[in-house]
Amino acid sequence: MAASFRWLLQLHKDVPKAARFYSEGLDFTVNVCTLRWAELQSGPLKLALMHSPIDQSTQKGYSSLLSFTVTDINSTVTKLMALGAELDGPIKYEVHGKVAAMRCIDGHLLGLYEPV
């Protein structure tokens, strides 16, 4: 039997705040949320959030990069900025659609794509 994907894990200092960010900013469903652990879902994708006492945004190296297809990049960027994210460069208008990179809480990076 082949292995099946269970979830992707991110470390956060404030798990409830991170769960709210994904729930309100990207419409994830929150299955479980405690101070130390959360499990969120968007379609078949499960995102696990675990408490870390270390501030991930101050660590050198690579953070996770999650990429999402959205129906309206401008309204999604506005929602995420209201929840504490920052654009990592301008929104780009490519032949295939709009793309944006956002630096989120605890240093994680989100890619947004709105196809034409």
Side-chain angles (χ1 to χ4, degrees):
M1 182 168 97
S4 64
F5 183 79
R6 186 166 173 204
W7 37 250
L8 177 75
L9 176 71
Q10 284 187 335
L11 300 175
H12 287 274
K13 282 191 74 119
D14 187 336
V15 171
K17 181 178 179 181
R20 180 175 167 256
F21 178 85
Y22 285 105
S23 173
E24 293 180 14
L26 293 166
D27 298 323
F28 271 63
T29 301
V30 178
N31 295 337
V32 175
C33 185
T34 69
L35 293 176
R36 300 191 49 78
W37 174 264
E39 183 181 285
L40 294 86
Q41 190 161 352
S42 176
L45 173 73
K46 286 189 179 181
L47 176 62
L49 310 175
M50 190 169 79
H51 177 260
S52 172
I54 299 168
D55 185 356
Q56 300 300 315
S57 65
T58 63
Q59 299 297 309
K60 294 187 182 212
Y62 296 101
S63 69
S64 65
L65 167 61
L66 302 177
S67 181
F68 297 94
T69 300
V70 297
T71 55
D72 181 353
I73 204 165
N74 294 322
S75 68
T76 303
V77 165
T78 301
K79 279 196 299 187
L80 293 173
M81 289 179 78
L83 293 165
E86 298 175 359
L87 271 170
D88 193 24
I91 296 174
K92 295 184 180 172
Y93 299 85
E94 305 289 342
V95 169
H96 53 81
K98 300 175 191 174
V99 293
M102 301 202 71
R103 183 71 55 186
C104 301
I105 54 178
D106 292 332
H108 297 289
L109 193 63
L110 294 183
L112 303 175
Y113 172 63
E114 178 188 327
V116 288

